Structures are given as structure tokens and as C-alpha cells.
Amino acid sequence: MTGDTVLTPFCKKLGHILSRRGMLYFGLGIVVVMSMAALLAPWLAPYDPTELHLHSILEPPSAAFPLGTDALGRDVLSRLLYGARVSLWVGFVSVSISIAIGIVLGLLAGYFSGIVDELIMRGVDVMLCFPSFFLILAVIAFLEPSLNTIMVVIGLTSWMGVARLVRAETLSLRERDFVAAARLAGTKSSRIMLMHILPNALTPVLVSATLGIAGAILVESSLSFLGLGVQPPDPSWGNMLMEGKDVLEIAPWLSLYPGLAILVTVLGYNLLGESLRDTLDPRLRK
């Protein structure tokens, strides 16, 4: 058997994995697994995430502690599972806020045009002038760090992309025959926007939401790492990384596992979002 013969099945399998459908399933699989781990954390975690085991400080992975313990003897696996709940909850809630704002402003700007469009889009331009992460840092610096604050601030500073997407779709859809027919029938503008235009403009919003969750998880982790996010002893992947950096040489598992969790989760949502875009956008189909 030649080397080419051996490699052919492997290459075909790799090509299938890298195909659009394969990437979609792979990303969806990661998202489902991480979501289930977060939902089932109270049953999957072997210990309470804040429970101290003072006899097992900085213990490496073992049968009793599968992912080791931290500087206070807390189980890393338990904190990792409960940290997933925090990160995913922040992602979903903050993206929901940004999508709600973006849809409303995008519909108004695209449908009415004129002065309404100018006011909204100039507001978008002003918001885009500031780097989003530094804008979030500036706002949170004046507020008490908490999970609710993080979700609201991320949502209120990340709606601009959704607004521009919805506006672009609305500008195209409002010229369609079914919208003109609705106008001639005397349908109110609010009903036309909600019942006729919005359902046809949701495809890019769905993709943006999926990618937005990954971005929100990264922002939350960064804020927690800097001490401006979820406050100890409550676990989050970001503050687990912060706690692990001081003992990186003697306990590398404290930074390795939360870092991998962030990497895998963000990768899953990015793959899912890109695959959905390729699948749902007819312009990208071959």
C-alpha cells in the first residue's frame, strides 16, 4: 500500500471537516457541549466552587481534584464549570440588549430615511469613533463592578453593527413589491416594519448575534482579568486567569484550563457564526 493510498481517506475526511457543513456541525457541537456543561454545573461539579480545601493548596490534577486546586485549595474543575455559566450568561444577555437596540434603530433609520436616518447614523458614527473596549473600561470605572453592570454596559456599547446591518436590509426591503402593497392597503408603518420587513432582515442579525456572543465572552473575561468584572470569590474564566498568573511557574494548570475554555468557546461561536453566514447568504453559495 503506497503512502498516497493511505493519505487519501485522511484527506477526504479532513476536507469534509473543513467544509461548510462540517464547520457548522463542529461549531454547533462545541456550543452545545459548553452550554450543557454550564447548565448542568451544579450536578457536574464535584465540589462547591468557593469551598476551601486548605490541606490541598495548589495540588496538581489528581483523582480527588481532576484539574487540580488553586492557591486557596478550591477545586479548579468546579470553578471552571460555574465560570462557564457566568461567561455564557453575559454573552447571551449583552447580545440580546445590543440586538434589541440595533434592530429598533436600524428599522427606523432604514424605513423613514431623511432626518431620522441622519440622526441615527451620525450617532452610530460617534459611537464607532471610540474603541469599544476602552469605552467599556471608561464606563465601568465609574460604576461598581458587578455581573449586571457588565452585561448592560457591553450591550449598550455594541449595538452599532446590528443597527447598520438592519438599516441596510431595510433600505433594500422597503422598495420591494410586498412592502408597497402593504402601504397601499393602508397598513401602519409600525406593522410594516415588524411584520413585513423585520422577518426578512433577520438572517444577518442571527449571524451577528452568534459572533457577538464570542466577543462578549472575550470582553467579560478581559474585564474580570483586570479586576473590573466578576469579583472573587465568584468564579469566572477571567478572574481564574488573573489568579493563575501569579503562580504560573509552579501551578500552570490554573491558567491553562480557563484559557483553553475561553479559546474553545470563542472558537465554537465563531465557527458557528461564519458557517451560518455562508449557509444562509445565497450570495456566498457556489
Side-chain angles (χ1 to χ4, degrees), residues 78-135:
S78 301
R79 293 179 63 77
L80 201 68
L81 290 171
Y82 276 87
R85 308 187 90 187
V86 172
S87 295
L88 294 178
W89 182 243
V90 168
F92 284 118
V93 174
S94 59
V95 167
S96 298
I97 294 172
S98 67
I99 285 178
I101 297 173
I103 284 177
V104 171
L105 295 180
L107 282 173
L108 292 175
Y111 187 79
F112 290 108
S113 298
I115 186 64
V116 175
D117 185 28
E118 286 294 323
L119 288 174
I120 293 175
M121 297 316 296
R122 295 300 74 75
V124 170
D125 293 338
V126 169
M127 291 291 291
L128 291 174
C129 288
F130 302 96
S132 59
F133 186 72
F134 293 105
L135 180 61

Side-chain angles (χ1 to χ4, degrees), residues 210-272:
T210 307
L211 298 174
I213 292 175
I217 291 173
L218 283 176
V219 170
E220 183 276 324
S221 299
S222 301
L223 291 173
S224 296
F225 181 82
L226 296 173
L228 297 173
V230 178
Q231 300 298 299
D234 295 330
S236 82
W237 294 338
N239 63 30
M240 290 178 70
L241 281 173
M242 177 186 65
E243 294 164 359
K245 70 180 176 61
D246 296 326
V247 290
L248 187 60
E249 293 184 359
I250 61 175
W253 59 86
L254 294 185
S255 298
L256 175 63
Y257 296 121
L260 285 176
I262 295 171
L263 171 66
V264 171
T265 304
V266 171
L267 175 65
Y269 277 101
N270 281 335
L271 289 177
L272 181 60

Side-chain angles (χ1 to χ4, degrees), residues 171-190:
L171 286 172
S172 173
L173 291 168
R174 72 175 186 172
E175 305 299 332
R176 302 288 179 86
D177 292 339
F178 63 90
V179 174
R183 286 200 199 98
L184 291 175
T187 306
K188 294 182 179 179
S189 296
S190 58

